DNA sequence: TTGTATGCGTTATCAG
DNA sequence: CTGATAACGCATACAA
């Protein structure tokens, strides 16, 4: 049925080994031999059987990217970047959606949902610091996000606290004094929500603004709908505000919708800034200011770290934590630029590479 | 190193075949034997080697989804749906981004970018009717979209003409008479742009409105930026309009941005409707009316058709073309609902299953 | 520079 | 119900 190396070898009048050599670009082959093999391949329409190669080499050329869901623009764009970065290096990406469910995230680690890939880039949302033990597995992992620190794996994250503080200070610098927060997770000590909220509080303190609990809007899932709801609640409560820091752009766009529905002018009455700098931010009305966490750099770094570890041969290197630079991009929603203009850089938080020594597997 | 069936068999004191039987849920095994094998598996932490199984069974459990890019919300949401549908059936999805480049789309078909998957769901954007020959391959394909008809493959599409006509008529029903189109591809006879433009023209005709070329806005790529540009050009030209039909939501959101920048009220002065009904549509300001092409149904159907064909044993079934129902969802941008309300169904175009008989491979 | 032989870990065939 | 054994298609040590 399917044509194999054998068939090619026979047709070209060489051994199977020579065909293999040609296919794999082994350099020491007589030009004429290579030519003969090539045409035999053409004629027969031969294509390498990846399953056989994978079995033999113990490697698949596939990596898994596990994210909550692709409908969330941040993760869609992240996936885009990861796939592109992997592609450049000759690797292919298989995507698992966890729906931020504990069970599915556990499955990803246990391998029940990691069919035949050589490594995993994992952005957990349900698992937390208590689950570090689950990360001790026999394949390379790169962790994304801020839910799990200290696991035996490389980690690409962002400087949430510093960036959130900068966003808050940016609003304060516009003269705003009643800065609301949308997207808080009450009681959580870990994760993006906690860190960004901490940055917000630091920012308030540094600006000499009091902390008013009425200005904290809860939103469990960071979707547009929950952002709109949280904003609506706060407005319905009659809470006085003149600025909003939404913990991500989806929330911000939802909040924007609610503000508009209440007839509130942005940025005239209320200034608004989000977090993630997704593509949508540029095209909302008004265009949304945001924190650019360096998504592309995150993706490239994650792929790089993972492939490095997959290809590692000798003594395991210590695990690394990398924090790309983040930027505050000012647009219309904070009155930083006029309509139709590009956003402009308002400030930069420098990250860097931090190597955390851990006994690595 | 890695533990194999052999090790398990040895530990359980049975043959390797029995282990295989247990792993694959073969029913006729003594309970006691099964138990012994199960615990051996547990003890040793055995996990099936997928590469070996794939080699043996000639199947990988993987399918490829090839789309232009995940940053485009429509494709991100489509990917989400496809992955979910595949997951339900126990299959995993590998995503290829083609950037709508001819070369990469060809690669997808040639298999150069189809590593070890059992089938392909392909949404081409660069290939066209002249490339049908490329679709004659030795693995199952399901084609999405409207660029390639008549290829030897199953096809899930949408009733573009009817839906676009309905969208246009909807604008006309609001009393609008200068209905602009954003996203046209001049000279193209095939693809979504051509079909939706045809529907627009039919709609104008049925509404008794004249066709004014000045109302046609070109936009090669359907991004927010190009939509904004096209809209801006038209406004700068001083073309009089009171409604806009954007050929997809990204264009519509870009156009919305440009309208807003020009101080034009939507829907007061200009009514706006998009196409795709992506998630963003609900949360723009004002919320965007759109055509819901039945994305989820498209994804489910595509996976279903593909798996059916992959699992097909005997005589090849004739190729089918499926057209899910599409709906017009009226929101604020056409004044169909008040702020903060859900969109409402304005009309439905019924699709259905059409079986096209083609000599199938 | 090229050929031979072996094994990667499974599943399938066929006895028993 | 279970066991021995032969593929599956490729890569690679080892020869030549």
């Amino acid at each position: 049925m399917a044509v194999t190396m054998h068939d090619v070898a026979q047709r070209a009048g060489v051994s199977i080994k020579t065909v293999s050599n040609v296919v794999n670009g082994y350099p020491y082959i007589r030009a004429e031999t290579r030519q003969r093999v090539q045409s035999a391949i053409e004629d027969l329409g031969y294509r390498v059987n990846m399953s056989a190669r994978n079995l033999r080499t113990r490697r698949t050329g596939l990596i898994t990217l596990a994210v909550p869901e692709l409908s969330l623009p941040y993760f869609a764009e992240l996936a885009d970047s990861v796939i592109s970065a992997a592609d450049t290096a000759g690797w292919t990406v298989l995507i698992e959606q966890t729906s931020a469910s504990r069970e599915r995230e556990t499955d990803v680690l246990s391998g029940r949902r990691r069919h035949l890939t050589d490594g995993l880039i994992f952005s957990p949302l349900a698992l937390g610091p208590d689950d570090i033990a689950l990360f001790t597995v026999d394949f390379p992992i790169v962790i994304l996000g801020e839910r799990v620190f200290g696991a035996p794996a490389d980690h690409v994250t962002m400087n949430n606290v510093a960036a959130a503080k900068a966003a808050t200070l940016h609003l304060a610098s516009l003269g705003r004094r009643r800065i609301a927060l949308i997207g808080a997770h009450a009681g959580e000590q870990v994760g993006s929500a906690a860190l960004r909220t901490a940055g917000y509080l630091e920012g308030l303190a540094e600006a000499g603004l009091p902390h008013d609990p009425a200005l904290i809007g809860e939103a469990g899932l960071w979707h547009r709908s929950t952002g709109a709801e949280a904003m609506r609640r706060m407005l319905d409560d009659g809470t006085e505000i003149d600025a909003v820091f939404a913990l991500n752009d989806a929330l911000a766009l939802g909040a924007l919708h609610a503000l508009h529905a209440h007839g509130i002018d942005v940025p005239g009455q209320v200034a608004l800034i989000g977090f993630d700098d997704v593509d949508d931010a540029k095209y909302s009305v008004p265009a949304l200011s945001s924190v650019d966490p360096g998504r592309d750099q995150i993706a490239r770094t994650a792929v790089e770290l993972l492939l490095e570890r997959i290809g590692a041969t000798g003594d395991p290197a210590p695990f690394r934590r990398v924090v790309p630079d983040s930027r505050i991009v000012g647009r219309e929603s904070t009155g930083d630029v006029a309509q139709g203009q590009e956003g402009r850089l308002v400030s930069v938080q420098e990250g860097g590479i931090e190597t955390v020594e851990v006994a690595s597997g």
Side-chain angles (χ1 to χ4, degrees), chain A:
Chain A
M1 184 73 201
V3 31
T4 76
M5 274 194 175
H6 240 101
D7 306 328
V8 176
Q10 202 154 16
R11 168 124 183 173
V14 299
S15 90
I16 177 176
K17 160 73 170 164
T18 303
V19 178
S20 174
N21 283 339
V22 170
V23 167
N24 294 297
Y26 184 69
Y28 307 114
I29 305 176
R30 246 188 311 164
E32 189 242 11
T33 309
R34 183 195 308 279
Q35 195 43 250
R36 258 216 325 283
V37 172
Q38 290 286 18
S39 18
I41 289 178
E42 294 277 318
D43 296 352
L44 270 43
Y46 168 75
R47 298 228 343 273
V48 178
N49 179 322
M50 286 297 177
S51 294
R53 172 180 287 178
N54 293 344
L55 173 58
R56 189 50 229 240
T57 59
R58 305 163 158 288
R59 195 151 288 178
T60 63
L62 259 41
I63 59 180
T64 301
L65 172 66
V67 294
E69 41 176 316
L70 286 182
S71 315
L72 299 176
Y74 177 75
F75 290 110
E77 295 182 13
L78 180 70
D80 181 335
S81 297
V82 167
I83 292 175
S84 299
D87 188 79
T88 302
W91 287 67
T92 304
V93 178
L94 185 154
I95 295 183
E96 290 286 353
Q97 297 191 116
T98 62
S99 331
S101 115
R102 212 188 139 66
E103 184 194 349
R104 295 180 66 104
E105 291 195 353
T106 308
D107 284 352
V108 165
L109 290 173
S110 77
R112 293 200 354 79
R113 301 203 150 270
R114 241 201 70 262
H115 299 274
L116 31 65
T117 62
D118 299 329
L120 170 67
I121 297 178
F122 184 21
S123 181
L125 212 54
L127 298 184
D130 296 342
D131 303 302
I132 285 186
L134 296 176
F135 287 78
T136 303
V137 295
D138 59 355
F139 51 87
I141 302 183
V142 173
I143 299 175
L144 263 34
E146 6 286 333
R147 298 223 24 112
V148 177
F149 287 92
D154 292 320
H155 191 164
V156 184
T157 178
M158 35 178 118
N159 44 12
N160 283 277
V161 178
K165 177 177 173 183
T168 308
L169 284 173
H170 183 58
L171 293 172
S173 78
L174 304 173
R176 311 292 168 139
R177 308 197 51 83
R178 299 281 300 168
I179 303 176
L181 178 85
I182 296 284
H185 289 179
E188 263 188 33
Q189 304 298 326
V190 76
S192 309
L195 295 172
R196 293 176 193 173
T197 302
Y200 161 79
L201 294 175
E202 281 187 19
L204 287 186
E206 184 158 325
L209 298 175
H211 165 43
D212 179 353
L215 291 172
I216 304 287
E218 290 283 322
L221 285 175
W222 287 356
H223 285 197
R224 280 175 283 247
S225 56
T226 55
E229 268 168 43
M231 192 75 255
R232 205 176 301 132
R233 272 200 308 277
M234 198 176 289
L235 294 172
D236 288 346
D237 289 351
T239 310
E240 184 199 342
I241 63 171
D242 57 14
V244 174
F245 172 32
L247 296 191
N248 85 349
D249 286 347
L251 291 168
L253 293 171
L256 180 60
H257 195 253
L259 286 165
H260 181 265
H262 272 253
I264 294 172
D265 180 59
V266 176
Q269 296 170 264
V270 171
L272 173 64
I273 190 166
F275 201 114
D276 281 350
D277 196 32
V278 297
D279 214 35
D280 311 31
K282 297 189 194 64
Y283 297 99
S284 65
V285 179
L288 180 68
S289 299
S290 191
V291 178
D292 169 12
R295 169 175 57 79
D296 217 63
Q297 202 187 335
I298 289 175
R300 273 203 311 275
T301 308
V303 170
E304 206 172 288
L305 290 176
L306 187 64
L307 294 187
E308 215 168 273
R309 197 147 307 258
I310 289 175
T313 96
D315 37 342
F319 293 114
R320 284 160 300 177
R321 175 146 56 223
V322 181
V323 184
D325 295 339
S326 55
R327 297 166 169 72
I328 301 235
V329 183
R331 297 203 180 86
E332 294 163 20
S333 73
T334 48
D336 281 293
V337 297
Q339 286 171 5
Q341 288 187 8
E342 283 298 296
R344 72 186 181 87
L345 236 59
V346 176
S347 81
V348 177
Q349 276 64 49
E350 288 184 27
I353 296 191
E354 175 192 353
T355 300
V356 184
E357 300 270 352
V358 181
S360 50

